[in-house]
Amino acid sequence: MSPTLDDVDWWRDAVMYQVYLRSFADGNGDGIGDLSGLMQRLDHIASLGVQGIWLTPFQPSPQVDFGYDVSDYCGVDPLFGTLHDFDRMMARAHELGLRVLVDVVPNHCSSQHPTFQAALAAGPGSPERGMFHFHRSEDDAPPNNWQSVFGGQAWSRACPEDPEDQDWYLHLFSPQQPDWNWDNPAVHEMFDGVLRFWFEHGADGVRIDVAHALLKAPGLPDLDEVTNVVDGLRANRLASDQEGVHEIYRGWRRLADSYEPPRILVGEVNLPAERAARYARADELHQTFAFEFIALGWDPDAWVRVGSALEEARLAHGPTPTWALENHDIVRSTTRFGGGELGARRARAALLAILGLPGGAYIYQGQELGLPEVDVPVHQRVDPMWQRGGVTRDGTRVPLPWIMGPAGGHGFSSRTDATPWLPQPEGWGKRSVEAVGGAPGSMVALVREAIALRHALADRGVFAWADPVLWERTAAGGIMVRRGDRIRVVVAMGGPEPLPAGEVLVSSQPVVDGILPADGCAWVRI
């Protein structure tokens, strides 16, 4: 039985489905996914048995970074519909028992945001510029040596055409994404209002983009070592993980808890496990993604090492890990694990594995179809990371195929002649929801079975958390995760894997005579 909408602790072991809105379903036929398309396809998400969705940005934006450059935090971009469309989608989601998390981007906004435009117009030293990181330079050089995540320096001139204005502004991402100054109380007040706006429109919580950034080191000093592209801000300790950020989230938690039912806060905290766990202590965020896990390859030593580190962090700080293998920024697991049929088997096993782990889990749209990464032709790539840093995320964002036929981008668009905003590869229809959604033994069928079993075992107390969770290598070269006394999650990362004696609850490949085939996963009750 799935947790109900009145269960305040639903998030602790919930399975959530990430919707990258531009690429999920196009309801108005312009080739770009939108809220009406999402509403029409919510039944598919609900059929998987998940508890809710995380919805990527749909607020007004120039779309330089495809919504992560917000120009109005309290509205809907006409590209995706209207606020009325959002409200209708929310109502339908709740009818289906699905909760909805809205993406909030508090580290930076669009350079077209009215507050930033006012700061440019107000000039050096003005209160308006105090909302951002404007700093004067006397020698026509950036104020420090920080690099942008998207490549190049993290500073741009405010008004390069004005010789009297020597200010530069900080942007940890593109120049069109200036960073807010969280040392300014007015920024705190503004974002409290943003949270209230979406909570009062029915959002069940928020996913917080770059949650570990926000505050910067006092004085913005130079880094000792500079890399060309900062790895998720990890390499820039002066621009992330500042101690004061925890007090910001304590305030957000008090605000979220003031609603009935309480709203939840999920952080994108791209830090080592021990540091990330501190963001999800009892009075801060509810969840943080297990980022050290999310981009792993098919490497048993790495799985055991990272899984053990996450368990140590849980025991030290309390929060359970939140598992994921894919998102809109990561190469799809089918490709990451070897590609072709081999990669497909491994991706299937890996998804079953994370659904068997204690804590929350997130599925990225199309992962239930086993979609591979698409090699988008260079001349059709649009990711700003490609333009500035030579890395593209376009291949994981290709619009979903819903039907086998070619019309409307394999059913992605409501108009049969619409061209999807990113090109779909040849044969994409064979991977569609229509083609594999109802097929016995398909990835979709496995996801439905595993999530239903997960709920059933939890209701009977079999899947309860048990200390500690042990990650081990097996003699056959795979891994085994021990969940207390009764449940084992086994992944055959070497050769065929002899399973421990007991009942095989679910497996990604048929188990014969107690042997799990190579590149398979099984849950065993002993």
Side-chain angles (χ1 to χ4, degrees), residues 187-500:
V187 174
H188 294 243
E189 183 178 351
M190 186 193 79
F191 275 96
D192 283 352
V194 171
L195 295 180
R196 290 191 183 96
F197 180 87
W198 291 113
F199 292 163
E200 289 163 13
H201 273 271
D204 300 282
V206 295
R207 178 266 190 185
I208 305 160
D209 185 61
V210 200
H212 55 300
L214 277 63
L215 291 173
K216 280 67 177 176
L220 307 180
D222 278 344
L223 282 165
D224 294 335
E225 296 183 11
V226 180
T227 56
N228 289 329
V229 177
V230 178
D231 177 18
L233 299 181
R234 282 188 183 204
N236 189 344
R237 58 184 174 77
L238 303 177
S240 68
D241 199 27
Q242 300 296 301
E243 194 62 28
V245 77
H246 296 284
E247 192 55 41
I248 294 173
Y249 294 132
R250 291 187 184 101
W252 284 24
R253 181 62 176 264
R254 290 190 293 271
L255 193 158
D257 285 347
S258 71
Y259 284 81
E260 184 59 43
R263 306 320 197 232
I264 75 159
L265 309 171
V266 181
E268 181 197 26
V269 181
N270 190 352
L271 293 171
E274 193 280 332
R275 299 299 299 178
R278 299 169 70 250
Y279 286 73
R281 291 174 289 198
D283 61 344
E284 296 186 46
L285 307 181
H286 296 77
Q287 294 179 326
T288 60
F289 291 103
F291 256 98
E292 289 199 300
F293 191 88
I294 198 169
L296 289 179
W298 194 251
D299 180 342
D301 289 331
W303 279 53
V304 169
R305 182 182 69 253
V306 172
S308 298
L310 288 162
E311 175 64 1
E312 291 174 9
R314 182 188 73 84
L315 293 174
H317 300 290
T320 59
T322 301
W323 309 98
L325 287 166
E326 296 187 13
N327 65 32
H328 63 291
D329 290 332
I330 300 293
V331 173
R332 285 196 180 270
S333 54
T334 294
T335 300
R336 206 166 69 240
F337 294 155
E341 291 301 318
L342 175 65
R345 287 197 304 274
R346 290 173 171 177
R348 179 183 172 92
L351 181 52
L352 181 61
I354 68 165
L355 291 175
L357 299 177
Y362 281 68
I363 298 172
Y364 176 52
Q365 64 182 45
Q367 189 177 358
E368 78 279 17
L369 303 175
L371 293 183
E373 187 83 355
V374 175
D375 185 13
V376 176
V378 170
H379 70 280
Q380 292 178 291
R381 294 177 185 177
V382 293
D383 185 359
M385 284 190 73
W386 172 255
Q387 308 300 329
R388 288 175 59 86
V391 176
T392 181
R393 299 165 296 178
D394 292 320
T396 196
R397 301 175 178 185
V398 171
L400 292 189
W402 290 94
I403 63 174
M404 289 184 280
H410 301 288
F412 168 69
S413 289
S414 58
R415 282 182 48 180
T416 59
D417 61 344
T419 301
W421 72 282
L422 279 173
Q424 297 169 316
E426 185 178 353
W428 206 230
K430 296 178 182 178
R431 302 179 180 276
S432 67
V433 175
E434 180 184 43
V436 305
S442 69
M443 186 83 147
V444 172
L446 179 65
V447 169
R448 288 173 177 152
E449 179 185 5
I451 293 176
L453 180 60
R454 177 184 170 109
H455 296 327
L457 292 172
D459 289 343
R460 297 201 296 270
V462 178
F463 232 42
W465 193 277
D467 290 333
V469 176
L470 299 177
W471 293 71
E472 303 171 340
R473 287 296 309 274
T474 66
I479 67 169
M480 180 165 62
V481 184
R482 297 175 180 264
R483 291 189 57 154
D485 297 331
R486 304 184 65 184
I487 300 293
R488 304 288 183 266
V489 177
V490 181
V491 187
M493 288 185 162
E497 187 75 48
L499 294 176

Side-chain angles (χ1 to χ4, degrees), residues 10 13 22 50 71 75 166 177 184 206 230 268 280 282 383 397 409 417 488:
W10 64 270
D13 59 359
R22 292 182 67 94
V50 301
S71 57
Q166 297 297 311
Q177 294 168 283
N184 189 332
V206 295
V230 178
E268 181 197 26
D383 185 359
R397 301 175 178 185
D417 61 344
R488 304 288 183 266

Side-chain angles (χ1 to χ4, degrees), residues 9-63:
D9 288 330
W10 64 270
W11 52 273
R12 292 188 182 278
D13 59 359
V15 181
M16 301 291 285
Y17 186 95
Q18 182 194 350
V19 172
Y20 187 71
L21 191 59
R22 292 182 67 94
S23 298
F24 186 72
D26 168 22
N28 68 3
D30 66 355
I32 297 173
D34 49 38
L35 290 168
S36 64
L38 169 59
M39 189 170 70
Q40 294 164 24
R41 298 291 191 179
L42 281 173
D43 284 353
H44 168 70
I45 299 175
S47 77
L48 299 175
V50 301
Q51 281 72 64
I53 63 176
W54 151 30
L55 184 58
T56 56
F58 54 86
Q59 296 89 346
S61 163
Q63 303 297 319

